[in-house]
Amino acid sequence: MKDLFLQVAEHAGYVLGFVAIIIAAFVIAIAFEKYAKKLSGDTDKILTTRKIVVIGIFSAIAVVLMFFEFSVPFAPHFYKIGFSDLPALVGGFAFGPVAGVMIEFVKILLNLLFQGTSTAFVGELANFLIGCSYILPGSVFYLFKKNKKTAIISCVLGTLVMTVFGCLFNAFYLLPAYALLYGGIPVSSLIEAGTAVNSHITNMFTFVVLAVAPLNLLKGTLVSVVTMLVYKPLSPIIKFGQVSVNKKKNAIADND
């Protein structure tokens, strides 16, 4: 914990930027969720006690899943793929984009508390932002019409947005920031790490096209497939309390 506080103090400016990005992600999620609720006439709160409990459970599961990330042969060793975004997508489908973003945030916060940072917060920011670029589009789209077809489209949309955003974010911010904050290493050395696994990677453009894009496409596809397999069986369990409350409300409205 002491080491974490020292790292925060050392990179205060970067951490403040991280906080601003987190706030922006929540503002976007809240705005879309409020708009969807207004269109549907839903008067329920965005966050209820039950939702917060489920978000906590899903965040803990996401942290555990972070320990099982693995490398892929077409990308440098510092890129990992895993299923830690799976609980956030399931939570986003079940409760809306705010829940999805909150799961991503709590996952990163818990991981920092348990393990600290070995990447000067660059890896944590990347994990959060890339995760949100996948969760937000999918959960927002699904929010307006919840059926199997929309769920599939949402997963495809989220994967595509994550892939495009991941490429741009890596090229213009993440890799330069990583090189600067992690010992001042040259960006060219990161490109060389890509060349070592694929000789066709010779510059930033080929790096993101041949390493980052396939990585995010594969990650999005795997998480989407598993989500489609587990969401329907889990949905009644996740929403049990919410469904009961809605039935009571409808019964009261009918009696009135």
Side-chain angles (χ1 to χ4, degrees):
M1 183 66 72
K2 183 179 179 181
D3 291 340
L4 179 59
F5 285 133
L6 289 174
Q7 289 170 325
V8 169
E10 184 180 354
H11 304 287
Y14 189 81
V15 173
L16 288 175
F18 195 169
V19 172
I21 291 171
I22 291 170
I23 293 172
F26 274 108
V27 169
I28 293 170
I30 291 170
F32 274 111
E33 195 154 337
K34 283 187 173 181
Y35 179 66
K37 284 181 175 293
K38 184 178 179 180
L39 288 180
S40 64
D42 186 354
T43 58
D44 289 342
K45 294 180 180 179
I46 290 177
L47 288 177
T48 62
T49 302
R50 179 175 178 78
K51 286 184 182 181
I52 293 173
V53 170
V54 175
I55 286 169
I57 295 171
F58 277 22
S59 300
I61 295 172
V63 171
V64 173
L65 290 174
M66 290 183 76
F67 289 98
F68 298 96
E69 294 179 337
F70 55 92
S71 301
V72 289
F74 55 80
H77 64 89
F78 46 83
Y79 283 106
K80 305 288 185 182
I81 193 169
F83 292 90
S84 65
D85 292 324
L86 174 63
L89 184 59
V90 173
F93 277 3
F95 297 131
V98 174
V101 172
M102 186 166 286
I103 292 169
E104 289 285 347
F105 169 68
V106 177
K107 174 190 75 174
I108 295 301
L109 183 61
L110 290 175
N111 188 63
L112 281 171
L113 291 175
F114 290 139
Q115 298 194 69
T117 178
S118 59
T119 61
F121 297 101
V122 175
E124 289 72 29
L125 175 62
N127 192 298
F128 176 77
L129 270 183
I130 298 297
C132 285
S133 72
Y134 174 61
I135 302 302
L136 270 175
S139 59
V140 166
F141 189 81
Y142 185 72
L143 189 64
F144 291 94
K145 190 173 183 180
K146 298 185 177 183
N147 55 45
K148 186 175 181 180
K149 180 180 178 181
T150 307
I152 294 172
I153 296 173
S154 297
C155 288
V156 172
L157 177 64
T159 299
L160 293 177
V161 171
M162 177 175 66
T163 300
V164 173
F165 175 80
C167 289
L168 296 175
F169 183 58
N170 272 269
F172 293 104
Y173 185 81
L174 182 61
L175 291 174
Y178 184 86
L180 176 65
L181 293 173
Y182 201 60
I185 61 176
V187 176
S188 59
S189 65
L190 301 177
I191 304 298
E192 289 170 3
T195 307
V197 298
N198 185 344
S199 60
H200 295 291
I201 297 176
T202 56
N203 52 37
M204 183 64 78
F205 177 77
T206 53
F207 186 96
V208 297
V209 170
L210 298 177
V212 177
L215 181 81
N216 286 326
L217 282 172
L218 178 60
K219 177 182 177 179
T221 301
L222 291 175
V223 174
S224 296
V225 169
V226 177
T227 299
M228 295 304 298
L229 292 174
V230 304
Y231 180 68
K232 189 173 181 179
L234 286 177
S235 183
I237 301 172
I238 297 170
K239 295 184 177 181
F240 176 75
Q242 183 181 358
V243 171
S244 299
V245 170
N246 289 339
K247 284 182 178 179
K248 288 179 181 179
K249 286 183 178 179
N250 292 335
I252 293 170
D254 290 340
N255 291 331
D256 290 344

